Amino acid sequence: MLVKLAINGEKHQADVEPRLLLVHMIREVLRLTVTHIGCDTTHCGACTILMDGRPVKSCTVFAVQAQGKELMTVEGLEQNGKLHPLQEGFMAEHGLQCGYCTPGMLMTSYAFLKKHPSPTEDDIRWAISGNLCRCTGYVNIVKAVQHAAVKLAGGA
Amino acid sequence: MIPAAFDYHAPTTIGEATALLTRLGDDAKVLSGGQSLIPLMKLRLASPAHVVDINGIPGLAYIREGEGFLRIGALTRESELEESELIRTRYPLLHDTSKVIADPVVRNLATVGGNLAHADPANDHPATMLASGAEVVAVGPKGERRIPIASFFTGPFATSLRPDEILTEIRIPLPAARSRGAYLKLERKVGDFATAAVAAQLTLDAGGRCEEVGIGLTNVGLTPIKAAKAEAALKGKNPDEATIKRAAELAAEASEPSADLRGSVEYKKDLVRVLTARALRKAVERAQGVTTRA
């Protein structure tokens, strides 16, 4: 079945089996490999991408369901060679250890900060509660998101 | 994990969808949010030959009051319920529930209709809807029918929906002046099913007595449980501490949990007792706080 969609503003199409999961289409068919496959059971959120602006777990969506949708992955965060404030935050605050959960953390936080530009620590912890970091590096992940919130608000 | 192969159908009207279901019968599964169905297909616990994706049917996602009911379109995402001002201010039982279903990312796809139609006794909305006295609207090739929620769940993962019917709407009677509820869930971690959870909805009359009572239990039986004896123990009475305690004991007696990694039978039954008492106290507090129809 022919699936046409846009990822990070760029149009793509591929002829896929209906059972192909969206994360496999993104990684293996379109070769955008920053999005990770973690638990493959809807728990960990490493595969989180944005579909029409909302974070979803791409291991729990069929590629055919993304027909005509606008997707966003971590590849779309960097603009004109400049890292997104969230990416800078994860670097500056050491928001990643092994890095496996990071793509999902970035996309969930990206959508969250659009809706909640000045969140409390509790708000951030709520937002990322569907994304698991098995290094348990949550303290620095929260700091990284706070760093980005300040930066996006025009602060230092 | 790769699901078994299937034929994918994406109807754009309810008529088209029910015609497909009529033709395909038991070989077809309806795909709504997919947050239960797709994991089951990946584990090959479900291998439908046909998947009928209803996400492309317009007009099935809404939250509004009308004709004496709160009306929720079956394709309404849990996150939309959670973010709704109407739900937050007038339906705290539903708001409580929407905050504890799975996790925030899953709730962006998971639907209210799917949570009910999947009929997993561990799902949260069944208990909520039992406590709310809801009914669901099912549309089939011969038209529409309304099913009271108390007769909707017929067994584990089984409902009174016919194979050619689609659940399109959930209706909850508009709350009376002093009617409020609460949902309390104990889960080991975000995203886990409830060890046990209790939904309670109360309507107080002018004298502060319980005019209407609804109590639903999550994940403590083969189906969601309506704790009818506990409800009866409160009806017409002042919700004082002794009455609440008695109702909580009756709710625990109505539960039929099985032992698993989340706890023993005795533990879960006692948890139902504790959560029922707490949910009732919270519902009473909220109902007493309502002076006018907000």
Side-chain angles (χ1 to χ4, degrees):
Chain A
M1 188 176 166
L2 189 67
V3 175
K4 295 180 179 180
L5 44 74
I7 304 184
N8 306 320
E10 208 171 300
K11 286 183 179 162
H12 296 272
Q13 63 176 59
D15 190 17
V16 304
E17 264 194 277
R19 63 171 161 173
L20 185 77
L21 298 167
L22 182 57
V23 70
H24 291 301
M25 175 166 171
I26 292 170
R27 285 179 54 87
E28 288 147 33
V29 180
L30 304 175
R31 304 301 297 166
L32 293 167
T33 53
V34 174
T35 301
H36 288 170
I37 304 174
C39 70
D40 203 9
T41 56
T42 330
H43 290 98
C44 81
C47 65
T48 304
I49 61 154
L50 305 193
M51 188 157 80
D52 288 343
R54 289 217 172 214
V56 302
K57 297 186 179 180
S58 63
C59 79
T60 313
V61 179
F62 292 120
V64 289
Q65 291 180 269
Q67 184 76 265
K69 306 270 192 210
E70 300 269 346
L71 310 185
M72 184 175 172
T73 63
V74 171
E75 285 95 337
L77 284 176
E78 185 185 318
Q79 294 293 325
N80 306 318
K82 194 171 164 13
L83 291 179
H84 186 273
L86 264 168
Q87 293 170 302
E88 287 180 2
F90 272 73
M91 265 170 62
E93 301 293 345
H94 201 92
L96 60 153
Q97 291 174 51
C98 82
Y100 210 91
C101 71
T102 313
M105 289 289 179
L106 285 169
M107 297 321 293
T108 297
S109 308
Y110 177 86
F112 169 69
L113 286 180
K114 289 236 162 196
K115 271 194 187 170
H116 308 268
S118 42
T120 64
E121 180 181 337
D122 280 354
D123 293 340
I124 297 169
R125 286 183 178 270
W126 166 85
I128 61 168
S129 61
N131 294 81
L132 303 181
C133 166
R134 288 301 78 169
C135 307
T136 71
Y138 296 104
V139 169
N140 287 353
I141 291 171
V142 170
K143 281 186 194 162
V145 177
Q146 285 169 328
H147 178 108
V150 170
K151 198 128 197 206
L152 286 164
Chain B
M1 291 177 290
I2 313 294
F6 58 85
D7 287 335
Y8 176 75
H9 308 267
T12 53
T13 65
I14 292 177
E16 213 182 308
T18 55
L20 272 167
L21 293 176
T22 305
R23 181 160 64 81
L24 301 170
D26 283 338
D27 288 342
K29 277 298 279 182
V30 171
L31 175 64
S32 178
Q35 303 301 286
S36 296
L37 178 61
I38 297 175
L40 285 179
M41 289 175 68
K42 288 164 74 175
L43 293 165
R44 305 228 179 176
L45 293 171
S47 302
H50 298 270
V51 167
V52 178
D53 180 356
I54 59 170
N55 287 277
I57 301 175
L60 284 179
Y62 51 84
I63 303 167
R64 61 168 177 257
E65 290 182 326
E67 296 165 40
F69 293 95
L70 167 70
R71 303 169 64 174
I72 303 172
L75 272 184
T76 304
R77 311 290 159 179
E78 300 294 356
S79 55
E80 291 170 327
L81 208 58
E82 188 181 4
E83 290 162 9
S84 160
E85 187 63 16
L86 176 68
I87 297 299
R88 196 181 60 74
T89 52
R90 301 234 315 139
Y91 302 89
L93 168 57
L94 279 181
H95 184 69
D96 285 357
T97 311
S98 68
K99 287 193 295 187
V100 295
I101 291 172
D103 68 54
V105 180
V106 168
R107 291 200 290 273
N108 282 331
L109 283 177
T111 65
V112 183
N115 196 281
L116 294 171
H118 185 51
D120 186 337
N123 276 359
D124 297 287
H125 275 311
T128 302
M129 297 305 172
L130 283 169
S132 302
E135 59 182 34
V136 301
V137 178
V139 175
K142 292 187 194 110
E144 181 183 300
R145 68 186 178 116
R146 288 152 73 155
I147 309 168
I149 199 73
S151 60
F152 184 68
F153 304 106
T154 54
F157 302 93
T159 70
S160 52
L161 280 176
R162 290 192 279 259
D164 58 3
E165 283 180 323
I166 294 176
L167 194 167
T168 57
E169 187 177 89
I170 299 101
R171 297 183 182 192
I172 292 173
L174 291 180
R178 298 174 79 197
S179 181
R180 285 295 183 272
Y183 188 65
L184 289 183
K185 172 179 182 176
L186 184 82
E187 55 183 3
R188 296 177 302 174
K189 54 175 273 295
V190 168
D192 191 20
F193 290 118
T195 304
V198 176
Q201 179 78 24
L202 284 178
T203 303
L204 301 180
D205 67 15
R209 287 177 296 271
C210 298
E211 200 174 353
E212 298 280 343
V213 189
I215 299 173
L217 312 178
T218 299
N219 211 13
V220 285
L222 293 176
T223 62
I225 291 171
K226 182 171 161 66
K229 283 184 185 165
E231 292 170 354
L234 279 156
K235 203 157 178 181
K237 304 236 173 64
N238 260 313
D240 54 32
E241 202 45 36
T243 310
I244 285 176
K245 276 191 173 152
R246 179 72 194 128
E249 279 162 16
L250 290 167
E253 280 173 28
S255 68
E256 295 173 335
S258 47
D260 59 16
L261 286 173
R262 297 181 183 89
S264 64
V265 170
E266 296 76 10
Y267 170 69
K268 289 184 182 182
K269 280 178 107 69
D270 203 49
L271 188 56
V272 170
R273 183 183 63 80
V274 172
L275 291 178
T276 303
R278 288 183 190 169
L280 286 169
R281 284 188 206 112
K282 203 164 184 178
V284 169
E285 198 178 291
R286 284 171 169 174
Q288 285 171 342
V290 179
T291 47
T292 52
R293 268 194 56 172

